[in-house]
Amino acid sequence: MGFLWSLIIGGIIGWLAGIIVGRDVPGGIIGNIIAGFVGAWLGSLILGDWGPTIADFAIIPSIIGAVILVFVLSLILRKMRKTA
């Protein structure tokens, strides 16, 4: 059950990051989950594990890390579309 909660929380974090940045995460639900997990990892590297925790995700650093990830990914994808 813990793994399922991690997938759900990771997906919500990725979805929130997409809303904050104003860009859809490529890959739909799977992309949101991956963005949430990678964003949580990135956020914990940058900010540590402070704030409220749900399903082993420190929510505030995870959302900030996911926003950074989605923003950088959107810049890269936009640049690739212009050169193609």
Side-chain angles (χ1 to χ4, degrees):
M1 187 68 170
F3 181 70
L4 179 63
W5 276 114
S6 294
L7 290 176
I8 292 169
I9 299 301
I12 291 171
I13 289 170
W15 174 71
L16 285 173
I19 289 174
I20 291 169
V21 173
R23 304 265 186 228
D24 286 334
V25 177
I29 293 170
I30 303 297
N32 284 334
I33 293 170
I34 292 170
F37 273 89
V38 175
W41 173 76
L42 181 64
S44 68
L45 281 178
I46 296 170
L47 301 170
D49 291 332
W50 55 273
T53 303
I54 300 174
D56 293 333
F57 287 94
I59 298 300
I60 296 169
S62 296
I63 292 173
I64 292 171
V67 165
I68 293 169
L69 175 72
V70 170
F71 180 73
V72 169
L73 186 61
S74 70
L75 288 177
I76 291 169
L77 291 175
R78 187 180 322 154
K79 192 70 153 175
M80 287 175 60
R81 280 188 219 124
K82 285 183 180 180
T83 59

